[in-house]
Amino acid sequence: MARKKGLVPRKQPVQSRSKATVEVVLEAAAQVFESGGYNGANTNLIARRAGVSIGSLYQYFPGKDAILYALMKRHMDMGYEFITKRLAGLGRGGVDEVFVRALVEAMLGMHEMEPELHRVMFEQVPPTVMLPQELMRNEAAAVERLAAMLERTPGLRKAATGEVARFVAYTLEMLCHRFVLYGIKGLDREGFMDETADMLLRYILAD
Amino acid sequence: MARKKGLVPRKQPVQSRSKATVEVVLEAAAQVFESGGYNGANTNLIARRAGVSIGSLYQYFPGKDAILYALMKRHMDMGYEFITKRLAGLGRGGVDEVFVRALVEAMLGMHEMEPELHRVMFEQVPPTVMLPQELMRNEAAAVERLAAMLERTPGLRKAATGEVARFVAYTLEMLCHRFVLYGIKGLDREGFMDETADMLLRYILAD
DNA sequence: TGATAATATGAGTAATCGCTCGTTTTACCA
DNA sequence: TGGTAAAACGAGCGATTACTCATATTATCA
């Protein structure tokens, strides 16, 4: 087991060559985690793959978990930025079919970015790396935005908007995760989107 | 990383005391995996916790993954037996509200059995242990049964029953998993069941 | 250009863990 | 009851891995 060390970087790179070192380490780490999973990765291997000495790696990261944490943070920030852009300007008048379809497409697109890395992150990461709430802020904020939209939606189901938003968000996230990483037999991309959007919309607009 | 060894037991215990040894090892392994996760577990620790020598452990299991695999198999067999019992006799006339509610309750109940062990199994297990299709036979069979019921259901949605069955099964499984292990803010057990059953039923009976 | 700070290096150490194997103990049964 | 097979034992070896630190190299800037 990784001796528990912190997740925060040890020192910030100030010169451009050290910024490049950090960059190349993260790049190599992504490859190593993707190809060997969490347990197959170790700091020596990452350093070698990066073409950097093990000492240099430890200048910036206290250990393997810290590298993974940095990768996850970057991955998730990218993902939520992607979704935010895709949904910009939509749903002002509340949640409708157009919005839900866009939401499904955006979430699906997000899961299609770096899918192998995504798998390692969400299926093999030890709780110590995953727990920090900072990683979840984006998700929480997105759920809040969805709840606000539901508030403006005419013909909403009876349950409170916060609960409906969470229910929808979690369902959608999990379905996309599964579809991208394992597929759902009999459903192609279009079919998946149709079924998902239809199910969620019927749920949201029930009553 | 665990050197890759097989997952199958090395020798079958024949005398009763060796059966007891295997039993006590599995029991200890469950505790160790639960409290320290996959990475926190090792064979030496499991043997010590079991009050058994490391040599004895290796008589029956080729390594840590094999022990985990045995635990998973047992856990999943228990789970599907539970569900099968709960649903016995229901849904003969097709899928209706009564059946869906029973299905949700059964799936939820299954997830409430050994939840911490369940978490380790489904969130931290390396693909080498999880992949073997044998573990998935139960699931596949359950989906088939559900598809057969949908076939007999009047007023079904237009999509093919196999796809609908998979979609429903995966959604339900994931929602229960999330609810039991992390909760969904604002939803208690009753509320969760109501929302889930409602969403799935509306989806199934659409059109 | 020289002083200082930043960065890079990698051999080496300590700790962990997987697993074997020679030996001892226990059970079985003819 | 004695011979054989099953089971249990655990010291310790080999491999892996995390991480340090003394040293060398490079950048910065007054």
Side-chain angles (χ1 to χ4, degrees):
Chain A
M1 178 166 51
R3 310 215 219 332
K4 39 183 83 118
K5 289 278 175 153
L7 297 177
V8 293
R10 290 189 147 173
K11 82 162 87 156
Q12 296 298 3
V14 330
Q15 299 178 359
S16 68
R17 70 180 159 145
S18 53
K19 287 200 182 83
T21 299
V22 168
E23 212 45 48
V24 82
V25 165
L26 287 175
E27 187 53 43
Q31 287 176 30
V32 170
F33 279 118
E34 275 176 32
S35 72
Y38 179 82
N39 290 300
N42 65 64
T43 50
N44 292 309
L45 189 55
I46 292 169
R48 207 182 320 140
R49 179 73 135 267
V52 152
S53 80
I54 183 65
S56 293
L57 184 152
Y58 275 96
Q59 297 258 344
Y60 305 103
F61 299 100
K64 152 172 155 176
D65 284 351
I67 301 175
L68 182 56
Y69 182 79
L71 279 177
M72 291 187 69
K73 183 140 179 43
R74 170 184 297 201
H75 176 79
M76 293 181 76
D77 286 349
M78 264 179 56
Y80 278 97
E81 190 191 328
F82 175 85
I83 286 194
T84 302
K85 270 188 186 152
R86 285 293 187 105
L87 297 183
L90 285 167
R92 282 192 208 288
V95 173
D96 57 6
E97 184 174 344
V98 171
F99 177 80
V100 169
R101 292 192 68 86
L103 179 63
V104 171
E105 171 134 45
M107 184 70 88
L108 189 55
M110 181 183 101
H111 278 79
E112 286 165 342
M113 301 161 39
E114 312 180 298
E116 276 307 315
L117 190 57
H118 186 91
R119 185 207 302 271
V120 173
M121 288 175 177
F122 287 87
E123 298 186 358
Q124 296 182 40
V125 156
T128 37
V129 180
M130 196 55 184
L131 276 182
Q133 298 306 33
E134 194 180 349
L135 287 180
M136 295 305 161
R137 280 200 200 133
N138 284 322
E139 177 174 303
V143 170
E144 288 313 311
R145 280 198 303 260
L146 180 56
M149 277 175 208
L150 289 172
E151 209 72 61
R152 297 185 236 114
T153 301
L156 192 71
R157 76 182 281 108
K158 55 182 184 299
T161 54
E163 292 144 35
V164 173
R166 272 184 282 274
F167 204 78
V168 167
Y170 297 157
T171 302
L172 178 57
E173 197 281 324
M174 293 182 295
L175 282 172
C176 289
H177 184 92
R178 167 132 206 167
F179 180 76
V180 170
L181 293 177
Y182 304 99
I184 297 182
K185 199 173 147 195
L187 285 180
D188 61 7
R189 198 172 187 279
E190 276 308 306
F192 171 78
M193 282 178 45
D194 287 346
E195 295 293 300
T196 305
D198 188 65
M199 181 173 80
L200 293 180
L201 200 65
R202 284 179 195 278
Y203 168 69
I204 291 170
L205 298 182
D207 307 331
Chain B
M1 180 166 49
R3 310 215 216 337
K4 45 183 76 122
K5 289 276 176 153
L7 297 176
V8 293
R10 292 188 144 172
K11 82 162 89 156
Q12 297 297 357
V14 328
Q15 298 178 0
S16 69
R17 73 182 156 141
S18 53
K19 287 201 183 81
T21 299
V22 167
E23 211 47 47
V24 82
V25 165
L26 287 175
E27 186 53 43
Q31 288 176 30
V32 169
F33 279 117
E34 276 176 33
S35 71
Y38 180 81
N39 289 299
N42 67 63
T43 49
N44 292 307
L45 190 55
I46 292 170
R48 207 180 320 138
R49 180 73 136 267
V52 153
S53 81
I54 184 64
S56 292
L57 185 153
Y58 275 96
Q59 296 255 343
Y60 305 102
F61 298 100
K64 153 172 154 176
D65 284 351
I67 301 175
L68 182 56
Y69 182 79
L71 279 178
M72 291 187 69
K73 183 139 179 45
R74 170 185 296 202
H75 176 78
M76 293 181 76
D77 286 349
M78 263 179 57
Y80 279 96
E81 190 190 328
F82 175 86
I83 286 194
T84 303
K85 271 188 185 153
R86 283 294 186 105
L87 297 183
L90 286 166
R92 281 191 209 290
V95 173
D96 56 7
E97 184 174 343
V98 172
F99 177 79
V100 170
R101 294 192 66 87
L103 179 62
V104 172
E105 170 133 48
M107 185 68 89
L108 189 56
M110 180 184 100
H111 277 79
E112 288 166 342
M113 302 161 41
E114 311 180 299
E116 276 307 315
L117 189 57
H118 186 91
R119 184 206 305 269
V120 173
M121 289 175 177
F122 287 85
E123 298 186 359
Q124 297 181 41
V125 156
T128 38
V129 180
M130 195 56 183
L131 275 182
Q133 298 307 32
E134 193 181 347
L135 286 180
M136 294 305 160
R137 279 201 200 134
N138 283 321
E139 177 174 301
V143 170
E144 288 313 310
R145 280 198 302 260
L146 179 56
M149 278 177 207
L150 289 172
E151 210 73 61
R152 295 185 237 114
T153 300
L156 192 69
R157 77 182 281 109
K158 55 181 183 300
T161 54
E163 294 145 35
V164 174
R166 272 185 283 275
F167 204 79
V168 167
Y170 297 157
T171 302
L172 177 58
E173 196 281 323
M174 294 183 294
L175 282 172
C176 290
H177 184 92
R178 166 131 207 167
F179 180 76
V180 170
L181 292 178
Y182 304 100
I184 297 182
K185 200 173 145 194
L187 286 180
D188 59 8
R189 199 172 187 280
E190 276 307 307
F192 171 78
M193 283 178 45
D194 287 346
E195 296 293 299
T196 304
D198 188 64
M199 180 173 80
L200 293 180
L201 200 64
R202 285 178 196 277
Y203 168 70
I204 290 171
L205 299 182
D207 307 328

